[in-house]
Each structure stands twice: as structure tokens, then as C-alpha cells.
Amino acid sequence: MTKIILAADIGGTTCKLGIFNTNLDRIEKWSIHTDTTDHTGKLLLKNIHESFEEKVAELGYEMSNVIGVGIGVPGPVDFETGVVNGAVNLHWEDSVNVTEIYQSFIDCPVYVDNDANVAALGEKHKGAGKGADDVVTITLGTGLGGGIISNGELVHGHNGSGAEIGHFRADFDQRFKCNCGKSGCIETVASATGVVNLVNFYYPKLTFKSSILQLIKDNKVTAKAVFDAAKEGDQFCIFITEKVANYIAYLCSILSVTSNPKYIVLGGGMSTAGLILVENIKTEYRNLTFTPAQQDTEIVQAELGNDAGITGAAGLIKTYILDKEGVK
């Protein structure tokens, strides 16, 4: 019997869905609208399952071919129980037991994890992590998130807060407040939001001229504008880029002496800034990091893009069922 894995990456606007084989080769992918009107999560999960049923039949499979369902959710997840402890983007204000709800639709294992964790697992299995057992991903977007894979498995911690890497304190002057309620988190100085924070903080204090002055005055500056101007030689934007790179390198250094990954994978929109950011990160990382911990560690750009989530959701089934059973 052909075995297949169903994978869902639930986002605030769309749910990316996929069907994979046991080698995590993608058979099909598609997306559906995320229904956030039902705050219990039941309607959304039912919609996902019905879409899976339709696609499985369309491809000539049976639901009995399904050996597991992996689901990534944008919120804090208790991995042991599958309970999502609130998800702002989904309007889930209370805890939702995704595993329990979904297993009422299908008779097979269901694994649920945070979306950043499943994206990390995707890069480990089929992306820039190249199958290594020790991989860290850093997602550089509006915020800063990521996942840590150690000895082949995701790090969750005792209550699911493991690998919340956006909340290392890196700005010890605590200049900017984080969404978590504290100040000084690395997210406030090394994300797209952090770039804007640093621009607004430093520009009045420095004598640099800048090609993005009008954007600054109009409060329309973006991380992309800063990096693009830095590539053109704008000294102020180069200064900001180096500041941001140094903070990210500091995070990479901490991660290297904590879990000693083979690959540190940079993903998210900011990772596409290119060499001007990535090479600065690598240079400062080499300067900062304990020599044995950085030996043979590679800082690389993510490869899977928007497919990391569904690939990693399927990877939950491979990691926690197939690999443990020795299935190849």
C-alpha cells in the first residue's frame, strides 16, 4: 500500500496544504482560505480535512493510505498534547487542542507544532540543512523567530518555550519595547522592525548624510530600502546594516555554544538582502564565537521559501514516526 503524509501550514490568511510520500517528496500542494470566524478552531480544521479528502481522492489515493498528519500553527504549542495556547492571527483567544480535534476526523497520528519549528524541520530535511541532525533556523521577517534541531529532534523545552530565539536580550540598553512586553529583545534590533528602530534612533545622532532621508522624514523607511541603499554605498545605511548583522552574529554565536549546529539557516524576507548582510554576519560570527563551536559550522540562506512550512509539517511524521520505526 502506498503511504502518504498530509501536511498543513496554517497562516492567518491562507492554509498551505501538501501531500508527501515517506521520503518527503512532495506529491501535490495547494492552499485554501483561513477561516478565522470560529474561535474554537473546529471549523478551520474541518475545512482543512475536507480539502485533504477531496485532493486525496482526486489523486487516486484512499484516506487509508494516510500514515500521519502534520500541522504547523502560528502560536505557542504544547508538543506533547497538541494544544495551541492561543493564536492571535487565527483569533484563537483560548487554548485549542488541535490534535484532539483533528483526530476526530481521521484515524492516524496527528502531530502539531509551532510554524517556525516546522519550517526549521523542513529546511533540515529537504532544504539548506541538508539532512544534518543539528540545524538552527533564524527567520528574519517583521519579527525574529526560528527553530533549533538537536540530535535530529526539535527543541521544545518543558513548556514549549524552547527556541524562542527572538527573545534573547541583545540590546542591553533596552531602547525598544518588544511585543512580548519586555525591552531589549533581539527582535527589536535585528528584524525588519528592528532595522527601522535603529534608523530612527541613530539618524538624529549621527552626521551621516543619507539617500533615504526623505523616507525617514516621512516615516516610510523599510528594511529593504536600507539594505538597497547600503548596496549603493550609502554610509548611514551601511552603518545600520553592520549594526543589524552584528546582533544576528551575536545570536548565532550564542546558538553555536548552546547546541553547536552544523548549519545556521537564515530565512525570512530579510535574508534576501544578500551578501551585504550575510557576509557581515559571517565575519562578525567568526570574530565572536568560541573557536571549537564554530568549526565546520556553515551560515547559509534558506532554500525552501514558502514551502518550508508544509515540508516541515510532513517532516513531523517522518521525524517522530518513520525515523523512530526505522522506515526509509
Side-chain angles (χ1 to χ4, degrees), residues 150-165:
S150 182
N151 295 325
E153 295 192 11
L154 285 159
V155 171
H156 295 103
H158 77 93
N159 67 6
S161 297
E164 286 288 351
I165 59 177

Side-chain angles (χ1 to χ4, degrees), residues 4-25:
I4 57 174
I5 299 168
L6 306 183
D9 177 18
I10 300 177
T13 304
T14 62
C15 297
K16 299 177 184 69
L17 307 179
I19 298 175
F20 293 77
N21 65 19
T22 55
N23 292 320
L24 296 191
D25 299 318

Side-chain angles (χ1 to χ4, degrees), residues 44 105 189 200-201 214 244 260 276 280 282 289-290 319:
L44 174 57
F105 306 138
V189 289
N200 291 331
F201 178 81
Q214 195 58 50
V244 172
N260 191 212
I276 195 160
N280 272 303
K282 289 181 179 179
T289 308
F290 178 54
T319 299

Side-chain angles (χ1 to χ4, degrees), residues 261-274:
K262 167 62 178 168
Y263 295 100
I264 299 174
V265 181
L266 304 178
M270 262 177 53
S271 69
T272 61

